[in-house]
Amino acid sequence: MTPGAAKLRMSDISKQFPGVKALDDVSFEANRGEIVGLVGVNGAGKSTLMNVLGGIYHPDQGEIFVDGAKVAFHSPKDAEKHGISFIHQELLFFASQTVAENIFIARLFANPSFPLFVSKRTANSEAAKYLKMLGSDITPTTIMEDLSVGERQVVEIARALAVGSEVVIFDEPTSSLSLKEKDTLFKVIRRLKAEGKAIIYISHFLDEILELCDRFIVLRNGRIHGHGDIKDITKRDIIRMIIGRDINYERKTDRTLVEKPVLRVLGIRSGALLKDVGFELHEGEILGVWGLMGSGRTELIRAILGLDRIDGGCLEFREKDALRPISPAELLGHCGYITESRHTDGLFLNQPIWKNVSVTALGEYESQWGFLDTGEEMGTATKYIDLLKIAAPGNATRVQSLSGGNQQKVVFAKWLNRRARILILDEPTRGVDVGAKLEISNLIRDLSREGTSTLLITSEIEEMISLSDRVLVLREGGIVADVRGTDINNANLMSLSLGEATVQ
C-alpha cells in the first residue's frame, strides 16, 4: 500500500526495554471503514504497540503516519488531537457524574450568560446527539454508576466521537459483557465502520475476530507472525500463528465416574433469583454450570459458600465416607474459589508470588515460636512456579508484573497449596491468551483425574463442552436441565439456556 492510502500507518516500529525487545520492526496499518483484529498472547507486544500509538511510549525507531502525514506523539493528548481514541478493557469514568459530564469531561461547555459556569443544558443536548448516532437510548442526565457495563462502554465510545476520533481502538471490550450487550457493542462497531472510522480490535476471543474483523494481524515475541484477510483464514490457522505450533485440543470423552457424591445441594433458595436449586457433585467430576448472564450461576456459588444469605435449603458434604450436613461457612473451608475477577478478589497484586501462594495455608508455616517460616513459604511457591510453569524470574516477583495467564496460574497455585477437595472456578480463563488457556484447561483435567471435584462456570461454550463431564443449565434462577454425554453440545446448551427447549 502506498504511503497516505491508509488512515493510520505505523512503519518499522521498534521498542526496547531493559533486557527485552518488546517490538522489533513492526509495521501496521488501518484503513477508513475497516476493522483490523490485533491478536497475540499476553506479552506478544500488542499493548506496547498501542501505547506507542497512544503517545505513552516513544518508539526507539520507526514512524507514524495519519492521513499520510508523519506525526510524533509525546503524550496521550497528542494522539487524541490526531483523532485516536482508546476504549480500554477497564473503563475509565467518573462514577458519580452524569453521562453528559463524562462525555465532555475534556471540554465542558461554558454558560453563555455566566461564562464562569458550565452549561449543563448544552452538554446534555450535545451528548444526546452523539448517543443517538450510536443508536443508544441512554439519558444524558443518568449517573454513570447506575449504568450497566455495556452502557458505560457506549458512553466511552460517544466520548471518542465527541473529540472527533477517526481511529478507535477497542481493547478486550467484551470480557465483562452479557450476550445482549456484546451484540449491541458489535452493532455500534459496525456502525462506526460504516461511517468510515478505522477500527482496531484487540481480543483473545478468536471467534469475535473472525465474526467482526476484515483483516487480522498476529504479534508474537514483538514481531508480526501473520496477517491477511479474515475470509482467507481459519481459527486453527490463527492459533498456529499466535503460539507458533499446531495444537490439538483434548476433547472431552465420556468418562466412567464412580457416582460418589462429595457435595449435595438440597433446595437452595436465595434472594429473589435462586429457586429450589438442588444437585450433586461427585468425586473427580467436572460439573459445568451453564446459563446466560443473569441466570443465577454466580449467585448459586455465592449462596452455597455463604457469601450471600441462604433463605432455604441445606448442604451435605462427604466426611469419613458419609454425607453430613454442613454450613456454607464450613464448606468454604474445603473449597478453593477462583473468582471471576482475579484483580479484584483473587490476588494481592502488589505482593510477591510467594506471599500469594502461602496465604491460604498460613497455619502450616507457623514455627514453634509462633512466627511464620518465610523460607518454607518461598520454597512452596518455587515448587508451584515449576509445577505450573509460571513465567517469572523467581518467587519474589510481584504478581502485578506478570501476564494475565501467569497471574491466573498463581491463583490456582494458592488453592492447590491448600489441597482443596472442591475447586469452584468462575470464568477461570477470562482475559488470558490462547496458550495459557490451553495450559489451564489441561491443569483442570489433571486435577480431576487426581480426584479433585470441580464446579465450572464459564461463558465460553467451547470451554464448557470440552471440559465438563456433566452440565447443569440454569435459567431464571432454577436448574432446567442436567445434560450429559453427547447432549453436551453447542446447539443444546444454547437452546436450553434461551428457553427454546426443555428436554433433559
Side-chain angles (χ1 to χ4, degrees), residues 475-500:
R475 190 172 69 244
E476 297 176 353
I479 294 176
V480 296
D482 182 336
V483 187
R484 304 166 186 242
T486 57
D487 289 334
I488 303 176
N489 59 64
N490 193 314
N492 203 27
L493 293 183
M494 286 305 300
S495 63
L496 286 164
S497 61
L498 290 168
E500 296 173 5

mmCIF file with all atom_site columns, all heavy atoms in Angstrom, residues 475-500:
data_model
loop_
_atom_site.group_PDB
_atom_site.id
_atom_site.type_symbol
_atom_site.label_atom_id
_atom_site.label_alt_id
_atom_site.label_comp_id
_atom_site.label_asym_id
_atom_site.label_entity_id
_atom_site.label_seq_id
_atom_site.pdbx_PDB_ins_code
_atom_site.Cartn_x
_atom_site.Cartn_y
_atom_site.Cartn_z
_atom_site.occupancy
_atom_site.B_iso_or_equiv
_atom_site.pdbx_formal_charge
_atom_site.auth_seq_id
_atom_site.auth_comp_id
_atom_site.auth_asym_id
_atom_site.auth_atom_id
_atom_site.pdbx_PDB_model_num
ATOM 1   N N   . ARG A 1 475 ? -31.646 -21.296 34.269 1.00 0.00 ? 475 ARG A N   1
ATOM 2   C CA  . ARG A 1 475 ? -32.418 -20.234 33.613 1.00 0.00 ? 475 ARG A CA  1
ATOM 3   C C   . ARG A 1 475 ? -33.328 -19.616 34.658 1.00 0.00 ? 475 ARG A C   1
ATOM 4   O O   . ARG A 1 475 ? -34.052 -20.320 35.354 1.00 0.00 ? 475 ARG A O   1
ATOM 5   C CB  . ARG A 1 475 ? -33.236 -20.783 32.439 1.00 0.00 ? 475 ARG A CB  1
ATOM 6   C CG  . ARG A 1 475 ? -33.847 -19.681 31.582 1.00 0.00 ? 475 ARG A CG  1
ATOM 7   C CD  . ARG A 1 475 ? -34.495 -20.216 30.303 1.00 0.00 ? 475 ARG A CD  1
ATOM 8   N NE  . ARG A 1 475 ? -35.701 -20.984 30.568 1.00 0.00 ? 475 ARG A NE  1
ATOM 9   C CZ  . ARG A 1 475 ? -35.843 -22.275 30.305 1.00 0.00 ? 475 ARG A CZ  1
ATOM 10  N NH1 . ARG A 1 475 ? -34.836 -22.949 29.770 1.00 0.00 ? 475 ARG A NH1 1
ATOM 11  N NH2 . ARG A 1 475 ? -36.972 -22.906 30.563 1.00 0.00 ? 475 ARG A NH2 1
ATOM 12  N N   . GLU A 1 476 ? -33.238 -18.305 34.793 1.00 0.00 ? 476 GLU A N   1
ATOM 13  C CA  . GLU A 1 476 ? -34.072 -17.539 35.728 1.00 0.00 ? 476 GLU A CA  1
ATOM 14  C C   . GLU A 1 476 ? -33.996 -18.112 37.151 1.00 0.00 ? 476 GLU A C   1
ATOM 15  O O   . GLU A 1 476 ? -34.999 -18.219 37.859 1.00 0.00 ? 476 GLU A O   1
ATOM 16  C CB  . GLU A 1 476 ? -35.518 -17.496 35.228 1.00 0.00 ? 476 GLU A CB  1
ATOM 17  C CG  . GLU A 1 476 ? -35.651 -16.782 33.892 1.00 0.00 ? 476 GLU A CG  1
ATOM 18  C CD  . GLU A 1 476 ? -37.066 -16.811 33.348 1.00 0.00 ? 476 GLU A CD  1
ATOM 19  O OE1 . GLU A 1 476 ? -37.924 -17.499 33.945 1.00 0.00 ? 476 GLU A OE1 1
ATOM 20  O OE2 . GLU A 1 476 ? -37.314 -16.139 32.333 1.00 0.00 ? 476 GLU A OE2 1
ATOM 21  N N   . GLY A 1 477 ? -32.799 -18.496 37.559 1.00 0.00 ? 477 GLY A N   1
ATOM 22  C CA  . GLY A 1 477 ? -32.582 -18.911 38.936 1.00 0.00 ? 477 GLY A CA  1
ATOM 23  C C   . GLY A 1 477 ? -32.914 -20.342 39.269 1.00 0.00 ? 477 GLY A C   1
ATOM 24  O O   . GLY A 1 477 ? -32.863 -20.732 40.439 1.00 0.00 ? 477 GLY A O   1
ATOM 25  N N   . GLY A 1 478 ? -33.224 -21.160 38.271 1.00 0.00 ? 478 GLY A N   1
ATOM 26  C CA  . GLY A 1 478 ? -33.531 -22.569 38.524 1.00 0.00 ? 478 GLY A CA  1
ATOM 27  C C   . GLY A 1 478 ? -32.829 -23.474 37.533 1.00 0.00 ? 478 GLY A C   1
ATOM 28  O O   . GLY A 1 478 ? -32.481 -23.055 36.426 1.00 0.00 ? 478 GLY A O   1
ATOM 29  N N   . ILE A 1 479 ? -32.584 -24.727 37.919 1.00 0.00 ? 479 ILE A N   1
ATOM 30  C CA  . ILE A 1 479 ? -31.969 -25.699 37.014 1.00 0.00 ? 479 ILE A CA  1
ATOM 31  C C   . ILE A 1 479 ? -33.047 -26.250 36.083 1.00 0.00 ? 479 ILE A C   1
ATOM 32  O O   . ILE A 1 479 ? -34.046 -26.803 36.536 1.00 0.00 ? 479 ILE A O   1
ATOM 33  C CB  . ILE A 1 479 ? -31.307 -26.836 37.804 1.00 0.00 ? 479 ILE A CB  1
ATOM 34  C CG1 . ILE A 1 479 ? -30.121 -26.293 38.618 1.00 0.00 ? 479 ILE A CG1 1
ATOM 35  C CG2 . ILE A 1 479 ? -30.829 -27.943 36.856 1.00 0.00 ? 479 ILE A CG2 1
ATOM 36  C CD1 . ILE A 1 479 ? -29.472 -27.326 39.513 1.00 0.00 ? 479 ILE A CD1 1
ATOM 37  N N   . VAL A 1 480 ? -32.845 -26.082 34.769 1.00 0.00 ? 480 VAL A N   1
ATOM 38  C CA  . VAL A 1 480 ? -33.827 -26.549 33.789 1.00 0.00 ? 480 VAL A CA  1
ATOM 39  C C   . VAL A 1 480 ? -33.370 -27.819 33.086 1.00 0.00 ? 480 VAL A C   1
ATOM 40  O O   . VAL A 1 480 ? -34.164 -28.451 32.387 1.00 0.00 ? 480 VAL A O   1
ATOM 41  C CB  . VAL A 1 480 ? -34.135 -25.448 32.746 1.00 0.00 ? 480 VAL A CB  1
ATOM 42  C CG1 . VAL A 1 480 ? -34.781 -24.244 33.412 1.00 0.00 ? 480 VAL A CG1 1
ATOM 43  C CG2 . VAL A 1 480 ? -32.883 -25.031 31.981 1.00 0.00 ? 480 VAL A CG2 1
ATOM 44  N N   . ALA A 1 481 ? -32.091 -28.194 33.242 1.00 0.00 ? 481 ALA A N   1
ATOM 45  C CA  . ALA A 1 481 ? -31.617 -29.416 32.591 1.00 0.00 ? 481 ALA A CA  1
ATOM 46  C C   . ALA A 1 481 ? -30.336 -29.895 33.240 1.00 0.00 ? 481 ALA A C   1
ATOM 47  O O   . ALA A 1 481 ? -29.531 -29.101 33.749 1.00 0.00 ? 481 ALA A O   1
ATOM 48  C CB  . ALA A 1 481 ? -31.383 -29.182 31.096 1.00 0.00 ? 481 ALA A CB  1
ATOM 49  N N   . ASP A 1 482 ? -30.142 -31.218 33.230 1.00 0.00 ? 482 ASP A N   1
ATOM 50  C CA  . ASP A 1 482 ? -28.911 -31.880 33.663 1.00 0.00 ? 482 ASP A CA  1
ATOM 51  C C   . ASP A 1 482 ? -28.421 -32.639 32.430 1.00 0.00 ? 482 ASP A C   1
ATOM 52  O O   . ASP A 1 482 ? -28.963 -33.687 32.073 1.00 0.00 ? 482 ASP A O   1
ATOM 53  C CB  . ASP A 1 482 ? -29.202 -32.814 34.829 1.00 0.00 ? 482 ASP A CB  1
ATOM 54  C CG  . ASP A 1 482 ? -27.962 -33.501 35.369 1.00 0.00 ? 482 ASP A CG  1
ATOM 55  O OD1 . ASP A 1 482 ? -26.981 -33.646 34.627 1.00 0.00 ? 482 ASP A OD1 1
ATOM 56  O OD2 . ASP A 1 482 ? -27.975 -33.904 36.552 1.00 0.00 ? 482 ASP A OD2 1
ATOM 57  N N   . VAL A 1 483 ? -27.412 -32.090 31.743 1.00 0.00 ? 483 VAL A N   1
ATOM 58  C CA  . VAL A 1 483 ? -27.028 -32.567 30.412 1.00 0.00 ? 483 VAL A CA  1
ATOM 59  C C   . VAL A 1 483 ? -25.773 -33.429 30.498 1.00 0.00 ? 483 VAL A C   1
ATOM 60  O O   . VAL A 1 483 ? -24.806 -33.071 31.186 1.00 0.00 ? 483 VAL A O   1
ATOM 61  C CB  . VAL A 1 483 ? -26.779 -31.378 29.459 1.00 0.00 ? 483 VAL A CB  1
ATOM 62  C CG1 . VAL A 1 483 ? -26.560 -31.877 28.030 1.00 0.00 ? 483 VAL A CG1 1
ATOM 63  C CG2 . VAL A 1 483 ? -27.942 -30.403 29.507 1.00 0.00 ? 483 VAL A CG2 1
ATOM 64  N N   . ARG A 1 484 ? -25.793 -34.552 29.788 1.00 0.00 ? 484 ARG A N   1
ATOM 65  C CA  . ARG A 1 484 ? -24.678 -35.496 29.846 1.00 0.00 ? 484 ARG A CA  1
ATOM 66  C C   . ARG A 1 484 ? -24.298 -35.975 28.458 1.00 0.00 ? 484 ARG A C   1
ATOM 67  O O   . ARG A 1 484 ? -25.061 -35.851 27.501 1.00 0.00 ? 484 ARG A O   1
ATOM 68  C CB  . ARG A 1 484 ? -25.055 -36.717 30.705 1.00 0.00 ? 484 ARG A CB  1
ATOM 69  C CG  . ARG A 1 484 ? -25.511 -36.365 32.115 1.00 0.00 ? 484 ARG A CG  1
ATOM 70  C CD  . ARG A 1 484 ? -26.180 -37.536 32.801 1.00 0.00 ? 484 ARG A CD  1
ATOM 71  N NE  . ARG A 1 484 ? -26.742 -37.129 34.101 1.00 0.00 ? 484 ARG A NE  1
ATOM 72  C CZ  . ARG A 1 484 ? -26.358 -37.619 35.270 1.00 0.00 ? 484 ARG A CZ  1
ATOM 73  N NH1 . ARG A 1 484 ? -25.430 -38.554 35.316 1.00 0.00 ? 484 ARG A NH1 1
ATOM 74  N NH2 . ARG A 1 484 ? -26.909 -37.198 36.387 1.00 0.00 ? 484 ARG A NH2 1
ATOM 75  N N   . GLY A 1 485 ? -23.080 -36.553 28.371 1.00 0.00 ? 485 GLY A N   1
ATOM 76  C CA  . GLY A 1 485 ? -22.628 -37.229 27.160 1.00 0.00 ? 485 GLY A CA  1
ATOM 77  C C   . GLY A 1 485 ? -22.671 -36.354 25.923 1.00 0.00 ? 485 GLY A C   1
ATOM 78  O O   . GLY A 1 485 ? -22.302 -35.185 25.937 1.00 0.00 ? 485 GLY A O   1
ATOM 79  N N   . THR A 1 486 ? -23.165 -36.950 24.822 1.00 0.00 ? 486 THR A N   1
ATOM 80  C CA  . THR A 1 486 ? -23.184 -36.234 23.545 1.00 0.00 ? 486 THR A CA  1
ATOM 81  C C   . THR A 1 486 ? -24.204 -35.103 23.517 1.00 0.00 ? 486 THR A C   1
ATOM 82  O O   . THR A 1 486 ? -24.198 -34.274 22.605 1.00 0.00 ? 486 THR A O   1
ATOM 83  C CB  . THR A 1 486 ? -23.484 -37.214 22.394 1.00 0.00 ? 486 THR A CB  1
ATOM 84  O OG1 . THR A 1 486 ? -24.723 -37.885 22.651 1.00 0.00 ? 486 THR A OG1 1
ATOM 85  C CG2 . THR A 1 486 ? -22.372 -38.236 22.250 1.00 0.00 ? 486 THR A CG2 1
ATOM 86  N N   . ASP A 1 487 ? -25.090 -35.048 24.527 1.00 0.00 ? 487 ASP A N   1
ATOM 87  C CA  . ASP A 1 487 ? -26.042 -33.934 24.594 1.00 0.00 ? 487 ASP A CA  1
ATOM 88  C C   . ASP A 1 487 ? -25.358 -32.626 25.002 1.00 0.00 ? 487 ASP A C   1
ATOM 89  O O   . ASP A 1 487 ? -25.952 -31.549 24.891 1.00 0.00 ? 487 ASP A O   1
ATOM 90  C CB  . ASP A 1 487 ? -27.163 -34.250 25.597 1.00 0.00 ? 487 ASP A CB  1
ATOM 91  C CG  . ASP A 1 487 ? -28.111 -35.324 25.080 1.00 0.00 ? 487 ASP A CG  1
ATOM 92  O OD1 . ASP A 1 487 ? -28.216 -35.453 23.841 1.00 0.00 ? 487 ASP A OD1 1
ATOM 93  O OD2 . ASP A 1 487 ? -28.736 -36.013 25.899 1.00 0.00 ? 487 ASP A OD2 1
ATOM 94  N N   . ILE A 1 488 ? -24.102 -32.735 25.489 1.00 0.00 ? 488 ILE A N   1
ATOM 95  C CA  . ILE A 1 488 ? -23.342 -31.517 25.814 1.00 0.00 ? 488 ILE A CA  1
ATOM 96  C C   . ILE A 1 488 ? -22.779 -30.978 24.511 1.00 0.00 ? 488 ILE A C   1
ATOM 97  O O   . ILE A 1 488 ? -21.661 -31.298 24.093 1.00 0.00 ? 488 ILE A O   1
ATOM 98  C CB  . ILE A 1 488 ? -22.215 -31.812 26.828 1.00 0.00 ? 488 ILE A CB  1
ATOM 99  C CG1 . ILE A 1 488 ? -22.773 -32.443 28.102 1.00 0.00 ? 488 ILE A CG1 1
ATOM 100 C CG2 . ILE A 1 488 ? -21.454 -30.532 27.169 1.00 0.00 ? 488 ILE A CG2 1
ATOM 101 C CD1 . ILE A 1 488 ? -21.705 -32.853 29.104 1.00 0.00 ? 488 ILE A CD1 1
ATOM 102 N N   . ASN A 1 489 ? -23.578 -30.195 23.829 1.00 0.00 ? 489 ASN A N   1
ATOM 103 C CA  . ASN A 1 489 ? -23.156 -29.603 22.558 1.00 0.00 ? 489 ASN A CA  1
ATOM 104 C C   . ASN A 1 489 ? -23.686 -28.177 22.461 1.00 0.00 ? 489 ASN A C   1
ATOM 105 O O   . ASN A 1 489 ? -24.568 -27.762 23.220 1.00 0.00 ? 489 ASN A O   1
ATOM 106 C CB  . ASN A 1 489 ? -23.617 -30.449 21.366 1.00 0.00 ? 489 ASN A CB  1
ATOM 107 C CG  . ASN A 1 489 ? -25.119 -30.614 21.324 1.00 0.00 ? 489 ASN A CG  1
ATOM 108 O OD1 . ASN A 1 489 ? -25.869 -29.651 21.158 1.00 0.00 ? 489 ASN A OD1 1
ATOM 109 N ND2 . ASN A 1 489 ? -25.591 -31.853 21.472 1.00 0.00 ? 489 ASN A ND2 1
ATOM 110 N N   . ASN A 1 490 ? -23.137 -27.447 21.517 1.00 0.00 ? 490 ASN A N   1
ATOM 111 C CA  . ASN A 1 490 ? -23.431 -26.014 21.374 1.00 0.00 ? 490 ASN A CA  1
ATOM 112 C C   . ASN A 1 490 ? -24.927 -25.749 21.236 1.00 0.00 ? 490 ASN A C   1
ATOM 113 O O   . ASN A 1 490 ? -25.510 -24.949 21.975 1.00 0.00 ? 490 ASN A O   1
ATOM 114 C CB  . ASN A 1 490 ? -22.665 -25.475 20.158 1.00 0.00 ? 490 ASN A CB  1
ATOM 115 C CG  . ASN A 1 490 ? -22.636 -23.966 20.104 1.00 0.00 ? 490 ASN A CG  1
ATOM 116 O OD1 . ASN A 1 490 ? -23.653 -23.306 20.302 1.00 0.00 ? 490 ASN A OD1 1
ATOM 117 N ND2 . ASN A 1 490 ? -21.470 -23.414 19.827 1.00 0.00 ? 490 ASN A ND2 1
ATOM 118 N N   . ALA A 1 491 ? -25.558 -26.435 20.286 1.00 0.00 ? 491 ALA A N   1
ATOM 119 C CA  . ALA A 1 491 ? -26.971 -26.165 19.994 1.00 0.00 ? 491 ALA A CA  1
ATOM 120 C C   . ALA A 1 491 ? -27.852 -26.460 21.204 1.00 0.00 ? 491 ALA A C   1
ATOM 121 O O   . ALA A 1 491 ? -28.759 -25.685 21.530 1.00 0.00 ? 491 ALA A O   1
ATOM 122 C CB  . ALA A 1 491 ? -27.412 -26.994 18.788 1.00 0.00 ? 491 ALA A CB  1
ATOM 123 N N   . ASN A 1 492 ? -27.577 -27.569 21.887 1.00 0.00 ? 492 ASN A N   1
ATOM 124 C CA  . ASN A 1 492 ? -28.420 -27.974 23.003 1.00 0.00 ? 492 ASN A CA  1
ATOM 125 C C   . ASN A 1 492 ? -28.274 -27.027 24.196 1.00 0.00 ? 492 ASN A C   1
ATOM 126 O O   . ASN A 1 492 ? -29.272 -26.603 24.790 1.00 0.00 ? 492 ASN A O   1
ATOM 127 C CB  . ASN A 1 492 ? -28.063 -29.404 23.430 1.00 0.00 ? 492 ASN A CB  1
ATOM 128 C CG  . ASN A 1 492 ? -29.201 -30.080 24.169 1.00 0.00 ? 492 ASN A CG  1
ATOM 129 O OD1 . ASN A 1 492 ? -30.367 -29.752 23.972 1.00 0.00 ? 492 ASN A OD1 1
ATOM 130 N ND2 . ASN A 1 492 ? -28.860 -31.018 25.036 1.00 0.00 ? 492 ASN A ND2 1
ATOM 131 N N   . LEU A 1 493 ? -27.033 -26.678 24.545 1.00 0.00 ? 493 LEU A N   1
ATOM 132 C CA  . LEU A 1 493 ? -26.822 -25.786 25.686 1.00 0.00 ? 493 LEU A CA  1
ATOM 133 C C   . LEU A 1 493 ? -27.436 -24.407 25.443 1.00 0.00 ? 493 LEU A C   1
ATOM 134 O O   . LEU A 1 493 ? -28.048 -23.812 26.332 1.00 0.00 ? 493 LEU A O   1
ATOM 135 C CB  . LEU A 1 493 ? -25.329 -25.652 25.992 1.00 0.00 ? 493 LEU A CB  1
ATOM 136 C CG  . LEU A 1 493 ? -24.615 -26.916 26.501 1.00 0.00 ? 493 LEU A CG  1
ATOM 137 C CD1 . LEU A 1 493 ? -23.163 -26.603 26.841 1.00 0.00 ? 493 LEU A CD1 1
ATOM 138 C CD2 . LEU A 1 493 ? -25.328 -27.510 27.703 1.00 0.00 ? 493 LEU A CD2 1
ATOM 139 N N   . MET A 1 494 ? -27.267 -23.882 24.222 1.00 0.00 ? 494 MET A N   1
ATOM 140 C CA  . MET A 1 494 ? -27.814 -22.560 23.932 1.00 0.00 ? 494 MET A CA  1
ATOM 141 C C   . MET A 1 494 ? -29.333 -22.578 23.917 1.00 0.00 ? 494 MET A C   1
ATOM 142 O O   . MET A 1 494 ? -29.983 -21.671 24.462 1.00 0.00 ? 494 MET A O   1
ATOM 143 C CB  . MET A 1 494 ? -27.280 -22.047 22.598 1.00 0.00 ? 494 MET A CB  1
ATOM 144 C CG  . MET A 1 494 ? -25.823 -21.601 22.642 1.00 0.00 ? 494 MET A CG  1
ATOM 145 S SD  . MET A 1 494 ? -25.464 -20.356 23.918 1.00 0.00 ? 494 MET A SD  1
ATOM 146 C CE  . MET A 1 494 ? -26.541 -19.014 23.411 1.00 0.00 ? 494 MET A CE  1
ATOM 147 N N   . SER A 1 495 ? -29.924 -23.599 23.307 1.00 0.00 ? 495 SER A N   1
ATOM 148 C CA  . SER A 1 495 ? -31.388 -23.637 23.239 1.00 0.00 ? 495 SER A CA  1
ATOM 149 C C   . SER A 1 495 ? -31.997 -23.806 24.625 1.00 0.00 ? 495 SER A C   1
ATOM 150 O O   . SER A 1 495 ? -33.008 -23.174 24.953 1.00 0.00 ? 495 SER A O   1
ATOM 151 C CB  . SER A 1 495 ? -31.851 -24.760 22.299 1.00 0.00 ? 495 SER A CB  1
ATOM 152 O OG  . SER A 1 495 ? -31.449 -26.023 22.780 1.00 0.00 ? 495 SER A OG  1
ATOM 153 N N   . LEU A 1 496 ? -31.374 -24.624 25.464 1.00 0.00 ? 496 LEU A N   1
ATOM 154 C CA  . LEU A 1 496 ? -31.879 -24.805 26.819 1.00 0.00 ? 496 LEU A CA  1
ATOM 155 C C   . LEU A 1 496 ? -31.772 -23.516 27.639 1.00 0.00 ? 496 LEU A C   1
ATOM 156 O O   . LEU A 1 496 ? -32.690 -23.149 28.372 1.00 0.00 ? 496 LEU A O   1
ATOM 157 C CB  . LEU A 1 496 ? -31.111 -25.925 27.523 1.00 0.00 ? 496 LEU A CB  1
ATOM 158 C CG  . LEU A 1 496 ? -31.444 -27.359 27.080 1.00 0.00 ? 496 LEU A CG  1
ATOM 159 C CD1 . LEU A 1 496 ? -30.385 -28.326 27.542 1.00 0.00 ? 496 LEU A CD1 1
ATOM 160 C CD2 . LEU A 1 496 ? -32.821 -27.776 27.595 1.00 0.00 ? 496 LEU A CD2 1
ATOM 161 N N   . SER A 1 497 ? -30.661 -22.801 27.509 1.00 0.00 ? 497 SER A N   1
ATOM 162 C CA  . SER A 1 497 ? -30.477 -21.576 28.292 1.00 0.00 ? 497 SER A CA  1
ATOM 163 C C   . SER A 1 497 ? -31.397 -20.469 27.827 1.00 0.00 ? 497 SER A C   1
ATOM 164 O O   . SER A 1 497 ? -31.763 -19.585 28.607 1.00 0.00 ? 497 SER A O   1
ATOM 165 C CB  . SER A 1 497 ? -29.015 -21.117 28.220 1.00 0.00 ? 497 SER A CB  1
ATOM 166 O OG  . SER A 1 497 ? -28.637 -20.819 26.890 1.00 0.00 ? 497 SER A OG  1
ATOM 167 N N   . LEU A 1 498 ? -31.801 -20.511 26.537 1.00 0.00 ? 498 LEU A N   1
ATOM 168 C CA  . LEU A 1 498 ? -32.699 -19.495 25.995 1.00 0.00 ? 498 LEU A CA  1
ATOM 169 C C   . LEU A 1 498 ? -34.159 -19.860 26.183 1.00 0.00 ? 498 LEU A C   1
ATOM 170 O O   . LEU A 1 498 ? -35.049 -19.065 25.844 1.00 0.00 ? 498 LEU A O   1
ATOM 171 C CB  . LEU A 1 498 ? -32.402 -19.290 24.509 1.00 0.00 ? 498 LEU A CB  1
ATOM 172 C CG  . LEU A 1 498 ? -31.066 -18.597 24.174 1.00 0.00 ? 498 LEU A CG  1
ATOM 173 C CD1 . LEU A 1 498 ? -30.761 -18.717 22.698 1.00 0.00 ? 498 LEU A CD1 1
ATOM 174 C CD2 . LEU A 1 498 ? -31.114 -17.119 24.595 1.00 0.00 ? 498 LEU A CD2 1
ATOM 175 N N   . GLY A 1 499 ? -34.426 -21.072 26.670 1.00 0.00 ? 499 GLY A N   1
ATOM 176 C CA  . GLY A 1 499 ? -35.813 -21.476 26.877 1.00 0.00 ? 499 GLY A CA  1
ATOM 177 C C   . GLY A 1 499 ? -36.472 -22.035 25.644 1.00 0.00 ? 499 GLY A C   1
ATOM 178 O O   . GLY A 1 499 ? -37.690 -22.173 25.588 1.00 0.00 ? 499 GLY A O   1
ATOM 179 N N   . GLU A 1 500 ? -35.659 -22.385 24.633 1.00 0.00 ? 500 GLU A N   1
ATOM 180 C CA  . GLU A 1 500 ? -36.224 -22.918 23.392 1.00 0.00 ? 500 GLU A CA  1
ATOM 181 C C   . GLU A 1 500 ? -36.401 -24.431 23.444 1.00 0.00 ? 500 GLU A C   1
ATOM 182 O O   . GLU A 1 500 ? -36.978 -25.020 22.565 1.00 0.00 ? 500 GLU A O   1
ATOM 183 C CB  . GLU A 1 500 ? -35.305 -22.561 22.211 1.00 0.00 ? 500 GLU A CB  1
ATOM 184 C CG  . GLU A 1 500 ? -35.217 -21.058 21.984 1.00 0.00 ? 500 GLU A CG  1
ATOM 185 C CD  . GLU A 1 500 ? -34.183 -20.691 20.943 1.00 0.00 ? 500 GLU A CD  1
ATOM 186 O OE1 . GLU A 1 500 ? -33.607 -21.613 20.346 1.00 0.00 ? 500 GLU A OE1 1
ATOM 187 O OE2 . GLU A 1 500 ? -33.963 -19.485 20.732 1.00 0.00 ? 500 GLU A OE2 1
#
